[in-house]
Amino acid sequence: MKIAILKERRDGETRVAATPESVKKLIAAGHDIQIEKDAGASASMPDSQYEAVGAKLGTLAATLKGADAVFAVRAPDAETLAKLPKGCLLVGQLEPHGDKARAKAFAEAGVNALAMEFTPRITRAQAMDALSSQSNLAGYRAVIEASQIYRRAFPMMMTAAGTIAAAKVFVMGAGVAGLQAIATARRLGAVVTATDVRPAAKEQVASLGAKFVAVEDEEFKAAETAGGYAKEMSKEYQAKQAELVASHIARQDVVVTTALIPGRPAPKLITKAMVEAMKPGSVIVDLAAPMGGNCELTKADEIVEHKGVSIAGFSNLPGRLAADASSLYARNLVNLTPLLVGEDGALAPHWDDEIIIGMTLTRDGKVVHETLK
Ligand code: NAD
């Protein structure tokens, strides 16, 4: 199959959907790879490296010519979408949750669209799961960003001039990103606590050497869906959780929030009053910024300062590690590719496979995903 890789056009997007390593693997599997010039430049992957492994570099039009599939990091803008060959397969992080208009646009463009965010959370699909690969890096980077903004050290330091106390880091939401944030903060020497609404998180937090802080009532015991995600919690639970968080947060130096509910606005876990109870110099890094933020004061892509507390709302943390994020994402796509072709290597998506069923938004000009019809 002919696979096209375009330069990402979304503002601030630094990642690319194929790396020289992934191109080499795809070519070895018999595919033709066409890459738009400079597609990997912002991820430190120059054109020469792609050429060296056998990719064809060209303009946007040349790259799309005859493409069976387009691998992308983000959904193409309307102008680019209109240029995609009819009937081609578009695979990317298409932000599909509840966005019927976007799915309709794919259908009208005659594009068969697969959303990486809808990769089912089953063992067989783990190597294709872009939410996990990107969240892992985001969790790491959130702590690194926090350490840059925080004007103190993370580890306890004993010096001749006296001792510096270790930073207290609180991680809210202990999923993929949160667990990596905990591990990173621990490596930097912080004293770490974490919270979640899913009981499974408790043991995972403890195994990383952090203390679990949560309202563990009957609702907590049933907060995980069959898909492994959190449910939206009741008003009563939210009130109990807010009370617990308010007293805990006032004693923290750094808070990393990662709490998400798929397809819903991010739960508001930190109020303005809670921020005001924190010490000046404290830092909040809110990974939920693109979904509205876990903190009331978060603004996407800004570092807001409120009464001495910095609240950072980076909306594309994986993009701040463009080379590694691209490598993992490109491997996710390589691992998915066998489900997109027949035995002869030609485009023939396994439409009846549960992974492909889960990911398919549009097919043959129609919106087919059950959540978007
Ligand atoms: P996510 O990004 O949807 O949410 C992040 C975390 O926020 C979750 O742990 C969630 O429980 C938590 N959260 C939601 N509401 C909250 C609230 N009000 N207060 C506190 N925390 C709240 O989740 P995720 O990181 O993508 O992963 C969720 C689970 O899925 C994890 O257990 C992960 O191990 C599992 N998973 C399984 C597979 C697989 O089997 N293939 C792949 C990836 C992840």
Side-chain angles (χ1 to χ4, degrees):
M1 117 174 120
K2 275 192 181 166
I3 305 171
I5 312 288
L6 306 183
K7 189 171 168 55
E8 295 294 319
R9 283 163 169 74
R10 181 82 63 99
D11 266 356
E13 187 51 80
T14 51
R15 293 168 289 175
V16 57
T19 61
E21 180 205 68
S22 78
V23 168
K24 201 171 167 187
K25 284 186 184 152
L26 292 167
I27 290 177
H31 305 300
D32 276 347
I33 311 296
Q34 308 178 160
I35 302 192
E36 189 180 359
K37 279 188 184 143
D38 262 355
S42 52
S44 311
M45 299 178 196
D47 289 351
S48 56
Q49 291 186 2
Y50 291 100
E51 263 162 346
V53 292
K56 293 186 195 83
L57 277 285
T59 59
L60 173 66
T63 304
L64 287 175
K65 195 156 188 263
D68 299 304
V70 174
F71 286 179
V73 176
R74 309 287 281 268
D77 54 29
E79 203 185 316
T80 314
L81 181 61
K83 294 180 180 149
L84 263 45
K86 298 272 166 291
C88 86
L89 188 73
L90 169 67
V91 188
Q93 297 178 112
L94 306 178
E95 294 163 76
H97 283 292
D99 198 339
K100 292 186 180 173
R102 184 184 291 244
K104 198 162 159 251
F106 294 142
E108 283 170 0
V111 162
N112 297 328
L114 302 191
M116 293 296 276
E117 293 94 329
F118 282 171
T119 308
R121 292 208 141 166
I122 54 174
T123 308
R124 190 164 61 90
Q126 263 175 352
M128 310 162 197
D129 188 350
L131 280 185
S132 292
S133 71
Q134 304 303 291
S135 295
N136 234 313
L137 292 169
Y140 159 80
R141 187 71 191 196
V143 174
I144 300 301
E145 297 289 350
S147 73
Q148 297 270 341
I149 301 167
Y150 186 50
R151 297 188 184 100
R152 296 170 190 271
F154 266 44
M156 185 181 86
M157 285 189 200
M158 293 214 244
T159 78
T163 301
I164 288 175
K168 292 195 187 88
V169 175
F170 180 39
V171 177
M172 305 186 74
V176 180
L179 291 174
Q180 190 56 254
I182 294 169
T184 306
R186 290 269 301 148
R187 276 185 221 123
L188 288 179
V191 175
V192 186
T193 50
T195 190
D196 204 292
V197 291
R198 291 178 304 105
K202 185 175 181 173
E203 210 176 298
Q204 291 161 350
V205 166
S207 74
L208 291 170
K211 190 166 171 254
F212 193 66
V213 180
V215 176
E216 298 183 43
D217 61 5
E218 287 305 311
E219 188 175 346
F220 170 85
K221 287 178 194 149
E224 182 159 326
T225 65
Y229 291 106
K231 286 184 189 154
E232 193 160 19
M233 305 305 274
S234 68
K235 288 267 173 302
E236 293 73 43
Y237 186 93
Q238 287 175 29
K240 284 194 258 178
Q241 189 183 30
E243 203 178 311
L244 180 77
V245 169
S247 62
H248 188 66
I249 221 169
R251 288 175 273 128
Q252 302 305 308
D253 301 305
V254 171
V255 182
V256 175
T257 66
T258 77
L260 288 175
I261 300 147
R264 306 277 311 140
K268 286 278 177 280
L269 303 177
I270 306 179
T271 61
K272 187 171 165 214
M274 291 182 201
V275 174
E276 288 172 356
M278 293 179 80
K279 286 170 282 187
S282 305
V283 176
I284 299 171
V285 176
D286 190 345
L287 266 76
M291 296 304 292
N294 290 139
C295 173
E296 265 178 18
L297 301 179
T298 298
K299 290 208 175 107
D301 294 315
E302 282 185 35
I303 301 178
V304 175
E305 189 145 336
H306 184 77
K307 304 212 165 156
V309 178
S310 303
I311 303 131
F314 302 107
S315 63
N316 184 2
L317 278 168
R320 295 171 86 86
L321 287 164
D324 279 338
S326 301
S327 291
L328 295 186
Y329 183 68
R331 284 184 211 161
N332 291 144
L333 289 168
V334 168
N335 295 332
L336 173 71
T337 303
L339 294 182
L340 309 179
V341 295
E343 276 177 24
D344 58 355
L347 177 72
H350 301 198
W351 298 116
D352 296 334
D353 187 292
E354 65 176 314
I355 296 176
I356 300 299
I357 293 173
M359 297 172 74
T360 305
L361 307 184
T362 58
R363 188 177 165 193
D364 300 335
K366 291 196 189 70
V367 175
V368 295
H369 201 276
E370 57 184 29
T371 64
L372 296 167
K373 277 194 216 166

